[in-house]
Amino acid sequence: QLQLQESGPGLVKPSETLSLTCNISGGAISTFYWHWLRQSPGRGLEWIGFVYYNGNVDYNPSLRRRVTISMDPSESRFSLKLRDATAADTAIYYCARSPRAIQAAAQFDFWGQGAPVTVS
Amino acid sequence: DIQMAQSPSSLSAFAGDRVTVTCRASQNINNYLNWYQQKPGKAPKLLIYGATSLQRGVSSRFGGSGSGTEFTLTISSLQPEDCATYYCQQSYSAPQTFGQGTKVEIK
């Protein structure tokens, strides 16, 4: 059974870079899309972006200038970097998988347990 | 971005009742609509994809319908373990967007 596990600092200072890693175990990496999402009381559930197993990426336009998502297939993990963090980036961050990027089969079928991050 | 609006924001029903949650998209999204269940302190769990397809392992009490701009999640007979918040999500176009959630409680 596929398992995803987020890790990283739970506290980030304003203007610094929020960095998280998602470890993938129990399943194939290739042919899937690997996403970051976040959830906060004020913004609800928000899609941040994805990385494909070959390194192709796409980001939410609202975060594009600050976000980098990268894949390390050899270590079965992918990472999120969000620069210039502010209090508005305080949220629970989730990693997730989808079979496709958009339209058919683009549902998030596996999720990590979530990593709470506070910017303060 | 495509806006997703859910109604009601919360509901309370008796065990055994049929419960319906509605999701409306701000434009036509064909059938690219997914439903998730989230319990406190847990990640969302996929219930329905493609508007009507039941995810493997999910109870057949859950059903989805609709296409275009209006969609429905139905719980045929509400059980205590169904108490949770339910979210719709469109995967028609990027950025993928979610509804604000519907909290379902047992009376």
Side-chain angles (χ1 to χ4, degrees):
Chain A
Q1 177 79 338
L2 181 74
Q3 291 191 343
L4 304 177
Q5 178 69 59
E6 304 91 347
S7 61
L11 182 63
V12 176
K13 290 183 169 57
S15 79
E16 295 191 345
T17 297
L18 185 159
S19 296
L20 293 170
T21 296
C22 181
N23 288 286
I24 305 164
S25 60
I29 294 176
S30 61
T31 75
F32 290 101
Y33 292 79
W34 304 94
H35 301 258
W36 287 100
L37 303 98
R38 66 183 182 180
Q39 184 174 31
S40 62
R43 304 169 86 99
L45 278 161
E46 181 179 26
W47 175 74
I48 299 171
F50 72 70
V51 59
Y52 192 43
Y53 79 101
N54 65 1
N56 289 349
V57 295
D58 192 20
Y59 303 130
N60 190 320
S62 68
L63 296 168
R64 181 166 287 146
R65 67 174 183 83
R66 298 195 292 131
V67 170
T68 300
I69 299 176
S70 58
M71 168 65 77
D72 186 348
S74 65
E75 295 290 334
S76 296
R77 67 188 183 196
F78 63 107
S79 300
L80 167 71
K81 292 188 185 300
L82 183 63
R83 296 174 291 279
D84 300 320
T86 72
D89 296 315
T90 295
I92 299 174
Y93 285 76
Y94 293 100
C95 57
R97 185 193 84 166
S98 71
R100 294 290 181 267
I102 205 68
Q103 298 202 346
Q107 64 273 6
F108 304 117
D109 57 359
F110 284 93
W111 296 65
Q113 65 184 27
V117 178
T118 300
V119 180
S120 176
Chain B
D1 298 3
I2 297 175
Q3 307 302 312
M4 306 300 293
Q6 288 182 235
S7 61
S9 56
S10 66
L11 67 88
S12 181
F14 291 103
D17 281 353
R18 183 181 184 87
V19 168
T20 298
V21 179
T22 297
C23 177
R24 288 186 175 85
S26 59
Q27 66 181 74
N28 182 6
I29 59 170
N30 293 338
N31 67 333
Y32 301 122
L33 189 285
N34 310 304
W35 289 99
Y36 301 85
Q37 175 194 66
Q38 186 177 33
K39 296 184 177 180
K42 300 293 187 181
K45 171 189 173 183
L46 178 66
L47 298 177
I48 302 283
Y49 62 93
T52 61
S53 297
L54 191 68
Q55 173 70 353
R56 188 180 308 172
V58 172
S59 171
S60 57
R61 292 195 307 278
F62 294 94
S65 63
S67 66
T69 61
E70 188 156 336
F71 302 86
T72 300
L73 172 71
T74 300
I75 308 174
S76 61
S77 176
L78 188 67
Q79 299 301 306
E81 60 266 31
D82 302 334
C83 293
T85 300
Y86 294 83
Y87 294 93
C88 61
Q89 173 240 339
Q90 65 83 16
S91 55
Y92 176 76
S93 68
Q96 302 185 40
T97 48
F98 291 80
Q100 81 279 15
T102 295
K103 187 174 184 179
V104 174
E105 297 176 321
I106 290 263
K107 282 183 183 176

